Amino acid sequence: MQTRAIGPVTVSAIGLGALKELLDAGKIRLAGISNASIAQIEAARRILGDGNLASVQNQFSPAFRSSEGELRYCAEAGIAFLPWTPLGGSDAAPGLGTWHQAFGDVASAHGVSPQRVTLAWMLALAPVVIPIPGARRPESITDSAQAADLVLTDAEVQRLSTA
Ligand SMILES: NC(=O)c1ccc[n+]([C@@H]2O[C@H](COP(=O)([O-])OP(=O)(O)OC[C@H]3O[C@@H](n4cnc5c(N)ncnc54)[C@H](OP(=O)(O)O)[C@@H]3O)[C@@H](O)[C@H]2O)c1
């Protein structure tokens, strides 16, 4: 059977044992997991073997911060942390700067969108953080992409982290 190299595979439902089999068979190079607690991340590292867990994809946004512990754990372990629904989803995203005033204030100070500030804040939390915003409009995509170039001060990051 022909195999080909692919990027990290993110799964939430299939077992870690099945992922380990795919790794051992050379069908995947690295694995990712989703919606995992720190205990589950540690189990994944143990079962998959050192260095084989590439990423953890958990919900994380201004409104949903309970994965902050997993983010910190991933930062220390050098595992990519992918915040899903980073802008709060399609219902919340348009009003992000109003519902979370600190994000609106920082956005105004920089003359950019609160959504861009949100993504820049996440990127500033740790080098392993890679937010995955969804978008249907091209202007959302180009705006969000510019978060990579938006530099927030330490004070701004601190304010947004505690807002
Ligand atoms: N692992 C899991 O269990 C899980 C669960 C849920 C979702 N996810 C993943 O999370 C990702 C994103 O989730 P999501 O789309 O639900 O939520 P989201 O990224 O928080 O929000 C998407 C909304 O944000 C808007 N938006 C994006 N960038 C913007 C910008 N720069 N300015 C203004 N508005 C902007 C979009 O608008 P427009 O559409 O109008 O452009 C869309 O309405 C997806 O890839 C999804 O697969 C993973």
Side-chain angles (χ1 to χ4, degrees):
M1 186 174 68
Q2 192 181 14
T3 59
R4 65 189 173 89
I6 55 175
V9 175
T10 300
V11 296
S12 55
I14 66 172
L16 291 167
L19 274 181
K20 175 73 168 123
E21 286 176 19
L22 292 171
L23 284 164
D24 289 345
K27 294 185 186 296
I28 60 173
R29 286 187 180 170
L30 297 165
I33 57 175
S34 183
N35 302 321
S37 65
I38 290 175
Q40 289 168 327
I41 299 169
E42 287 178 335
R45 293 177 78 189
R46 224 174 19 252
I47 293 166
L48 299 176
D50 212 22
N52 287 327
L53 180 64
S55 64
V56 172
Q57 185 180 143
N58 277 10
Q59 186 173 11
F60 185 70
S61 69
F64 190 98
R65 304 196 189 199
S66 62
S67 281
E68 203 170 341
E70 285 77 21
L71 187 160
R72 294 281 159 224
Y73 178 94
C74 287
E76 283 173 25
I79 298 167
F81 182 87
L82 282 53
W84 61 256
T85 308
L87 304 174
S90 55
D91 289 340
L96 203 154
T98 307
W99 294 334
H100 303 280
Q101 197 189 334
F103 288 82
D105 290 348
V106 173
S108 296
H110 285 270
V112 301
S113 73
Q115 294 81 10
R116 197 189 303 184
V117 166
T118 300
L119 300 172
W121 163 65
M122 290 181 182
L123 291 170
L125 293 177
V128 298
V129 176
I130 308 167
I132 51 168
R136 283 166 297 182
R137 294 174 302 127
E139 50 269 40
S140 297
I141 297 168
T142 51
D143 184 67
S144 294
Q146 291 176 75
D149 298 321
L150 176 60
V151 179
L152 302 175
T153 66
D154 290 346
E156 287 171 333
V157 172
Q158 177 69 17
R159 180 181 174 196
L160 297 173
S161 292
T162 54

